Amino acid sequence: MIDRLTREQLYSVKKPGRYIGKEYGGIIKEHYDVSYLSVYPDLYEVGISYFGLHIFHFMINEISWAYHDYAFVPAPDMERLMRRENIPPYGMQSYKSAVTFDVIGFHVLTEMNFTNILLFLDLAGIPLKTEDRKTGDWPLIVAGGPAISNPEPMADFIDIVFIGDGEVNIPPFLKIIKEAKKKTFPREWIIDRVYRDIPSAYIPSKYDVDFRSMEVIKLDGKFVKGARASRDEMYIPRKMLVPNIEGIQEKATVEIFRGCTRGCRYCHAGQYYRPVREIDYDQAVSVLKDIISYTGFLDAGVLSLSTMDYSAIEEFVTLLKNDSHFRDVRFTLPSLRVESLYENLLEMVDPHHSINLTIAPEVGSDRLRRVINKDFTNEHVLEAIKRLGERGWTKFKFYFMLGLPTETDDDAAEIAKMLLRADNILATLGHRKRNISATIGLFIPKPHTPFQWTAQISLDDYSRRLSIIKRMVRKRRKITVRSHPSFISIVEGVLSRGDRRLGDVIYKAYKLGARLDAWDEHFNEDAWREAFSDIDIEAYLGYRGLGWTLPWDRIWVGMSKYHLKKDWQRAIRGEILQDCRLGCYGCGVCDFKKIYNTLVFEGRLPVIAHE
C-alpha cells in the first residue's frame, strides 16, 4: 500500500509520518484465522493517542488465532493523493488493504467523526450503505464507543454496534466469525448469530421504526444492554504503541479505574461507563514501570473519569514518590475535583513544569451546580485556588458550560465573578505572572442522560450570555476567556439525539465535502447547512416529551429510563443525588454478582464537599 508511493509523493503531504506506520511496539502476525482492523476515524495524532486503541491492539493480539491492526483517516492532502494513485486505507503495521480484513471496527468518541467513517469506507472501495453489502465478501462494519450509543443516525451505514466494554463484546464476536469462516457461512449468518447470542450488540437493520414528527411511534426489535467488564475482566496493557510523530497525548498511561458514580446529570461518559471498577495501586505502579521501560516515555499519567475519587490515591502516589524508577518522570494531572485535593498528589507535580492546572467548576452559581448534581460550592473552588497558589501554581485553566437547564443570565454573570475572585486571590499571593484562562463551552444534551429531554440553546443565546462574561472581565489582563461553539455545535446537537432519518443528511453532507468536522480548519459549514436544508433543525435541538419513545430507547446503556426520568425531575427541583458508593438507589446498572462498584478499599468513601 504505502510502499507504492515514491519518497517524493509521500513528502509532498504535510506530516508524512502520519502514514508510514510500523510504530514501535506494534504487532505483526503471519498466520491467523480472523483479522480485525480498528479505525479511529480522525487524524493520526488524535487516534494514536486514544488509549482504547492500545487496549484493542494488545488484547486481540493475545488471542493466538486473531490478528489486530489499526488505521486512521487521512488529511485532505493525503486523501487527494490516495485517490489519485488509487491507494486504499491500510493497516499501519501490516500494510494490508482495509478491505482484506474480516472486520473493520470504528472507535467513535464524537459524533463529529460520522462523516469520517464514510470517508474511510469510500477510500477503501467498500459500499457505504449496509444494504449494498449484503452480497459479496465485504468486511463486517462495526462500531462502538460513547458517541455511537445512539446508533440511529448511522443506521444506514453500520452493520453492528457494540454497546459497552470491548473486553466483553469483542472475544465472543471474533469466535462467531472464526466459526463462520471455518464453515464458509455468509456474512448475514454472522449478523444473525450476533443478534441472537450477544446481548450488547445493536444491529440497526433488525429494527422496524416509524415516526410522527420527532416522536418515535414504532420501534420493534430486541432490547440491548451495554456490556460491562468486571475488574478482573478489564484489560490493562503493559505496553503502548510509540507514535512516529507527536500525538496530542504522548505519555505512559495506566487506567487506574473505569467508571464514575458522581452522577453529573449532563455527563454522558458517567452514565456510559458506570459503575466504578478500580485496579490495585501496586498493580498500577507496576504497569507504569513496564510501559516506561518499554517505550522510553518521559511523561506519565493516569486514565480515569475522576482520578481524585480513586480509593487508593494516597497509597498510589506514595509508592510513586518513593520509587527511584520515576525520579526523572514528569507526571501530568487530569482535571481536578476541587473538594478532594491530596497534598501528596500535588507534590508529585512541579507547578513550574505544568503548563496549567485544569479545574472544572462547570457553572458559576451554586444553584445551577445543584441542578447538574455537583456537590461543591464556589467557596470550595476558591479555597482550592488559594491552596494551589500557595504551593506555587500560577497558571489555571477553568472549564465552564453555558446552556444548561434552568440557566439564566445571572448564572452566566456568576462565572465572571468567580474568575475575578480567583484573580484577586492569586494577586494577593503575589503571583505577578499569573494566568487564568476560561474555556466556555455550549452544553449539548446527550442520550442516556437525565438531560436527554431538554433543549439545546441557540447560538444567539449562547453568544449573549458569553458577552456578559467577557464584558465583566475585560479589564483584567490576566484573565482570558475562550469560546469554541459555532455551527459545529448545532451539527453535534442534531446528531447526538438524532434518528435514522439523518442517514440521508450525513450522506449528503459527506458528498458535499464534509469530513474532519471536529477541526475548525476543516469543518465545512456550507456542506452541513445544505444537508440540513431538508430537516427541521430546531425540532432536533428542541425538547422531547417525557412520555415519548426516543430513537435510542431499545438500548439500555446502564441506567434505566425510569431512573433517568426521576433524576431529571430532581434536577428541576435542584436536588442533589448522592454518590452511589454512599448507598445504592437502584439505577439498574449493577447486577451485584459480577458488576458492582469494586474499590481497592471498600470502606473508603469519596470526599463529599457538602458534608
Side-chain angles (χ1 to χ4, degrees):
M1 296 298 106
I2 190 68
D3 51 336
R4 286 161 48 185
L5 290 176
T6 66
R7 181 183 295 268
E8 289 74 20
Q9 286 174 321
L10 187 59
Y11 283 9
S12 71
V13 301
K14 295 179 181 178
K15 298 185 179 181
R18 288 168 169 163
Y19 311 109
I20 60 176
K22 305 292 185 184
E23 285 75 16
Y24 179 78
I27 296 170
I28 298 176
K29 288 183 180 181
E30 295 296 330
H31 305 289
Y32 46 84
D33 298 318
V34 179
S35 57
Y36 189 110
L37 181 68
S38 277
V39 180
Y40 192 96
D42 208 325
L43 297 180
Y44 176 92
E45 49 266 48
V46 180
I48 199 67
S49 303
Y50 171 54
F51 193 65
L53 189 76
H54 300 254
I55 290 176
F56 267 57
H57 188 63
F58 295 107
M59 177 184 74
I60 293 176
N61 279 317
E62 283 186 4
I63 302 172
S64 61
W65 45 266
Y67 178 59
H68 177 275
D69 206 342
Y70 51 91
F72 311 100
V73 168
D77 56 354
M78 185 62 175
E79 178 194 344
R80 291 190 293 270
L81 180 60
M82 292 171 72
R83 291 188 187 278
R84 187 172 68 244
E85 300 298 327
N86 196 29
I87 295 175
Y90 48 87
M92 299 296 282
Q93 288 292 330
S94 65
Y95 287 170
K96 291 183 181 295
S97 175
V99 75
T100 66
F101 285 79
D102 297 313
V103 183
I104 298 177
F106 291 96
H107 299 261
V108 190
L109 274 74
T110 169
E111 296 86 353
M112 301 310 294
N113 282 344
F114 283 177
T115 56
N116 296 344
I117 293 174
L118 302 193
L119 170 62
F120 190 92
L121 295 177
D122 193 13
L123 287 173
I126 298 170
L128 300 188
K129 296 195 175 183
T130 301
E131 62 183 9
D132 296 327
R133 297 192 297 266
K134 288 184 176 180
T135 58
D137 190 25
W138 301 109
L140 286 159
I141 307 304
V142 308
I148 203 161
S149 61
N150 170 23
E152 283 296 287
M154 292 294 285
D156 289 347
F157 313 108
I158 305 295
D159 296 323
I160 304 169
V161 177
F162 290 105
I163 306 297
D165 293 334
E167 294 97 333
V168 179
N169 283 323
I170 299 305
F173 173 53
L174 297 180
K175 288 180 180 178
I176 291 173
I177 297 173
K178 183 182 179 184
E179 179 184 354
K181 291 183 70 176
K182 183 177 180 180
K183 298 177 180 179
T184 65
F185 290 152
R187 70 195 306 277
E188 287 304 308
W189 180 90
I190 297 173
I191 292 173
D192 289 342
R193 180 73 176 273
V194 169
Y195 183 74
R196 188 191 76 186
D197 289 355
I198 300 182
S200 51
Y202 185 84
I203 299 176
S205 62
K206 300 292 186 182
Y207 292 80
D208 191 10
V209 187
D210 199 7
F211 306 90
R212 180 174 55 239
S213 185
M214 292 306 299
E215 185 177 2
V216 179
I217 58 174
K218 182 180 182 181
L219 182 56
D220 294 337
K222 76 168 187 177
F223 278 94
V224 170
K225 185 166 184 179
R228 294 291 190 277
S230 68
R231 176 167 63 183
D232 293 338
E233 291 172 324
M234 286 171 55
Y235 186 86
I236 311 295
R238 289 182 172 268
K239 298 178 181 179
M240 291 182 69
L241 300 164
V242 179
N244 291 328
I245 64 171
E246 185 176 0
I248 59 171
Q249 292 187 38
E250 194 169 311
K251 61 186 177 183
T253 302
V254 61
E255 186 179 19
I256 56 174
F257 71 88
R258 190 175 299 175
C260 179
T261 52
R262 289 282 180 167
C264 301
R265 294 176 176 126
Y266 60 85
C267 181
H268 181 268
Q271 316 298 331
Y272 189 83
Y273 290 111
R274 179 182 290 228
V276 165
R277 292 143 287 166
E278 298 181 347
I279 71 169
D280 291 335
Y281 61 91
D282 52 351
Q283 179 188 4
V285 172
S286 173
V287 167
L288 280 179
K289 278 186 183 180
D290 286 351
I291 293 175
I292 289 169
S293 296
Y294 186 77
T295 62
F297 287 151
L298 295 177
D299 293 279
V302 297
L303 179 66
S304 68
L305 290 177
S306 178
T307 298
M308 298 302 173
D309 284 344
Y310 183 43
S311 69
I313 186 69
E314 292 186 273
E315 288 79 4
F316 173 66
V317 170
T318 300
L319 270 184
L320 292 175
K321 284 176 57 180
N322 296 331
D323 194 321
S324 60
H325 195 92
F326 300 102
R327 184 177 296 122
D328 298 320
V329 175
R330 296 184 296 268
F331 282 86
T332 57
L333 286 177
S335 175
L336 295 179
R337 284 198 176 279
V338 298
E339 69 271 33
S340 51
L341 294 176
Y342 290 97
E343 298 299 322
N344 281 344
L345 183 61
L346 296 179
E347 289 174 8
M348 289 292 295
V349 183
D350 185 342
H352 303 292
H353 288 168
S354 298
I355 298 174
N356 53 41
L357 201 61
T358 302
I359 295 178
E362 311 295 355
V363 297
S365 71
D366 295 341
R367 181 202 69 80
L368 191 54
R369 204 167 287 117
R370 289 191 296 273
V371 171
I372 66 174
N373 207 43
K374 289 281 191 179
D375 58 3
F376 59 87
T377 66
N378 287 352
E379 294 307 316
H380 286 108
V381 175
L382 297 168
E383 176 60 26
I385 298 299
K386 181 174 181 292
R387 288 175 60 194
L388 292 164
E390 290 170 345
R391 299 194 69 89
W393 262 279
T394 60
K395 299 178 181 180
F396 293 84
K397 182 177 180 180
F398 288 82
Y399 182 77
F400 300 93
M401 287 183 287
L402 290 174
L404 287 152
T406 78
E407 181 184 85
T408 65
D409 289 358
D410 288 341
D411 293 307
E414 290 295 324
I415 292 176
K417 292 177 184 177
M418 180 185 291
L419 295 174
L420 292 169
R421 291 183 65 186
D423 186 49
N424 291 340
I425 289 170
L426 295 174
T428 300
L429 292 172
H431 293 314
R432 298 179 62 184
K433 295 184 178 181
R434 66 191 181 276
N435 180 274
I436 296 174
S437 67
T439 299
I440 317 290
L442 188 154
F443 167 65
I444 297 174
K446 295 292 182 179
H448 309 293
T449 69
F451 288 168
Q452 65 182 358
W453 292 280
T454 196
Q456 180 174 323
I457 66 168
S458 68
L459 290 179
D460 287 343
D461 285 340
Y462 169 85
S463 298
R464 179 173 50 77
R465 290 176 185 168
L466 180 66
S467 67
I468 293 172
I469 299 168
K470 288 184 173 181
R471 186 167 60 249
M472 291 178 66
V473 303
R474 69 179 184 276
K475 293 182 179 180
R476 298 290 185 99
R477 293 183 299 169
K478 304 296 185 180
I479 300 176
T480 304
V481 175
R482 297 184 174 90
S483 58
H484 176 70
S486 61
F487 198 72
I488 293 177
S489 301
I490 300 299
V491 175
E492 183 180 349
V494 170
L495 297 179
S496 293
R497 295 186 296 161
D499 52 53
R500 62 180 56 198
R501 292 175 294 183
L502 292 180
D504 289 340
V505 173
I506 296 167
Y507 180 80
K508 184 177 181 180
Y510 169 68
K511 287 297 186 180
L512 289 169
R515 63 258 285 132
L516 297 174
D517 297 311
W519 298 76
D520 288 339
E521 60 266 40
H522 298 300
F523 179 68
N524 190 330
E525 182 173 334
D526 291 340
W528 279 106
R529 286 190 180 276
E530 175 63 23
F532 278 171
S533 62
D534 296 328
I535 67 168
D536 184 347
I537 296 177
E538 296 306 316
Y540 276 98
L541 298 178
Y543 285 96
R544 308 295 203 270
L546 274 180
W548 289 9
T549 297
L550 303 173
W552 52 91
D553 268 358
R554 279 294 186 267
I555 296 173
W556 191 348
V557 162
M559 292 185 170
S560 69
K561 190 175 181 181
Y562 172 80
H563 171 79
L564 295 176
K565 283 183 180 179
K566 298 293 286 186
D567 210 26
W568 164 249
Q569 292 161 349
R570 291 188 196 96
I572 299 304
R573 296 193 298 267
E575 295 178 6
I576 290 287
L577 183 64
Q578 68 179 8
D579 188 305
C580 72
R581 284 173 290 181
L582 300 172
C584 177
Y585 39 75
C587 74
V589 172
C590 299
D591 62 11
F592 298 102
K593 297 175 182 177
K594 188 183 83 168
I595 303 303
Y596 50 90
N597 288 324
T598 312
L599 312 181
V600 176
F601 296 108
E602 294 293 344
R604 192 175 291 178
L605 298 175
V607 178
I608 304 299
H610 63 268
E611 293 184 351

